Amino acid sequence: MTIITPPNILSTVSRTPAGLLSNREKDTLIERAFTGLYRWYTARSQETRNWNADKSFDWRNLNQDLPKEVVTVVQGFFAVEQYAPDYTSNLLNLVRASHGRSHFQMRWGSEEEKHADAWENAVLFSRKRTPDWIREYKERLKSVQWELPFPDAIHNLVYTVFQERATQLNYLNLMKIAQGKSDKPHLQGFQDPVLAKVAQTIAIDEAAHYNFFLEGVRLYLYYYPQRTLEAIRNVIGQFSMPAVNLVPDWDHFFETVYRAGIYGPRDFSRDVMQVAFRNLGIESRKKLEEGIKLTREVPTFDGDDKVPTIIWDTFDYGSISGDVKRLHAKIQQYEREVGLSELDPTEFVLNLEVPGEADRTE
């Protein structure tokens, strides 16, 4: 990573980089925050979302007359979640040097494993697929392996923000159908409280995952805005849901999901991309593209090299700064509760490369 310095700060800081954070210092601060966030997340998930795929739902009372479209959707969700071992192991290997991210990835994998088991139970107890069919289908799914969509950690971190939000939206919209709230003629009159509870429970997990990854991207936006904005631009330019090239009959599954009003291109633009952009302080995709294109280069402190600058109106840096400070306040409160603050407290350090950051108030 290169030092990112906006041109209008060059005259307000020392001519030596001593007053600025080095890349190593930034990476250390990001890693420390991830560790604190992981500890907070684990405690909260154990307290509020400790459910069991077999015992938390009344499977015997699952509707045995599910519409064929709902069966197709549930089967597709089951298929996508079957790659949880690949998602977990590949991402874990990518971030294994980071305690906070690697340990969270194991926690995330244990929660995704529950999702896979719950959707498998939904397929089984629907009685629309036999146990032998399910076993053979799983073997077919596992005969191919999911690979990371991007080669580096920052792009995959950004990808998971959009992917988790999209997955949450899929499950929430299935929940509405199972609650009898569909506005599609071919699904009106259908209702299943058991399936609604399953979809809602898993959607809550996905919301928690989204928020963890969102906090991570905010950390990178705060300390490495240029690189992170470019990663966001790259990810949304080629985004697709996981396992799209692995699940058999994906086109039929996606068409069914779209016709059921669960998820489609418009939903991605309105309820995934725009929601994530708002949470990341980005006004729009157009503004993001324009800001990156207008990025210029300015001389370094020594004057013998050039570094890229940020067009600071590309996104709301003040909003990101406030979010990162609130994240640290949450971590610090947790550390005080359990005693970690007495031995190894997480500290927030200003990024002085940002214009006016040193003057910002809480």
Side-chain angles (χ1 to χ4, degrees), residues 38 83-110 146-150 152-153 156-157 160 213:
Y38 153 71
Y83 293 99
D86 294 344
Y87 306 147
T88 306
S89 60
N90 289 348
L91 288 167
L92 179 60
N93 287 332
L94 186 67
V95 297
R96 60 178 298 277
S98 165
H99 178 89
R101 289 193 64 182
S102 64
H103 280 62
F104 170 77
Q105 213 60 58
M106 290 189 285
R107 168 64 55 179
W108 177 89
S110 71
W146 179 85
E147 302 292 344
L148 291 169
F150 298 94
D152 62 298
N156 282 288
L157 178 65
T160 51
F213 292 121

Side-chain angles (χ1 to χ4, degrees), residues 20-241:
L20 302 178
L21 294 170
S22 68
N23 291 342
R24 182 180 180 86
E25 288 170 324
K26 292 178 184 178
D27 294 342
T28 299
L29 290 169
I30 292 172
E31 164 62 17
R32 189 65 186 86
F34 264 118
T35 300
L37 177 59
Y38 153 71
R39 285 171 166 164
W40 175 89
Y41 176 95
T42 300
R44 185 168 178 82
S45 68
Q46 290 173 335
E47 293 169 358
T48 62
R49 295 185 291 106
N50 197 21
W51 56 274
N52 181 273
D54 295 328
K55 303 180 74 172
S56 296
F57 310 102
D58 186 9
W59 291 113
R60 289 187 178 90
N61 283 321
L62 184 73
N63 193 328
Q64 296 182 32
D65 193 26
L66 295 177
K68 62 179 183 179
E69 293 88 355
V70 173
V71 174
T72 297
V73 170
V74 171
Q75 179 182 307
F77 291 165
F78 154 68
V80 172
E81 296 287 7
Q82 286 304 300
Y83 293 99
D86 294 344
Y87 306 147
T88 306
S89 60
N90 289 348
L91 288 167
L92 179 60
N93 287 332
L94 186 67
V95 297
R96 60 178 298 277
S98 165
H99 178 89
R101 289 193 64 182
S102 64
H103 280 62
F104 170 77
Q105 213 60 58
M106 290 189 285
R107 168 64 55 179
W108 177 89
S110 71
E111 295 178 359
E112 291 294 334
E113 169 269 325
K114 294 194 298 182
H115 301 175
D117 287 349
W119 288 125
E120 180 173 351
N121 281 349
V123 174
L124 177 64
F125 280 90
S126 74
R127 293 171 171 80
K128 301 298 184 182
R129 303 289 185 267
T130 66
D132 285 342
W133 185 95
I134 293 174
R135 279 190 285 271
E136 292 175 2
Y137 190 57
K138 285 200 293 185
E139 289 180 5
R140 184 179 177 186
L141 292 169
K142 296 296 179 65
S143 67
V144 290
Q145 185 173 351
W146 179 85
E147 302 292 344
L148 291 169
F150 298 94
D152 62 298
I154 182 61
H155 277 81
N156 282 288
L157 178 65
V158 169
Y159 171 80
T160 51
V161 168
F162 292 93
Q163 179 265 315
E164 294 286 358
R165 172 61 187 169
T167 305
Q168 178 199 9
L169 183 65
N170 274 265
Y171 296 161
L172 285 175
N173 286 333
L174 176 60
M175 176 195 73
K176 292 177 182 178
I177 293 173
Q179 290 174 337
K181 299 177 180 178
S182 175
D183 60 358
K184 303 298 180 180
H186 63 293
L187 292 172
Q188 288 178 355
F190 166 69
Q191 193 168 356
D192 187 339
V194 177
L195 184 60
K197 182 180 178 182
V198 173
Q200 181 182 39
T201 301
I202 299 178
I204 291 172
D205 276 1
E206 301 294 1
H209 298 168
Y210 168 77
N211 283 315
F212 182 96
F213 292 121
L214 178 68
E215 296 285 19
V217 173
R218 284 169 171 165
L219 284 169
Y220 276 99
L221 267 177
Y222 184 74
Y223 289 109
Y224 290 110
Q226 177 75 29
R227 183 185 180 198
T228 309
L229 289 170
E230 290 177 348
I232 293 171
R233 187 268 310 271
N234 295 339
V235 167
I236 63 173
Q238 50 185 302
F239 179 85
S240 65
M241 293 297 285

Side-chain angles (χ1 to χ4, degrees), residues 270-282:
R270 180 190 60 203
D271 297 322
V272 176
M273 186 172 65
Q274 289 303 324
V275 169
F277 276 5
R278 185 165 61 249
N279 293 154
L280 294 170
I282 300 172

Side-chain angles (χ1 to χ4, degrees), residues 21 29 32-33 219 222-223 317 320-329 332 345-351 357 360 362:
L21 294 170
L29 290 169
R32 189 65 186 86
L219 284 169
Y222 184 74
Y223 289 109
Y317 195 91
I320 291 299
S321 175
D323 289 331
V324 171
K325 290 175 184 177
R326 282 187 288 273
L327 169 63
H328 281 78
Q332 290 163 355
T346 300
E347 297 179 356
F348 173 72
V349 179
L350 291 174
N351 182 9
E357 177 63 1
R360 293 185 194 273
E362 294 289 340

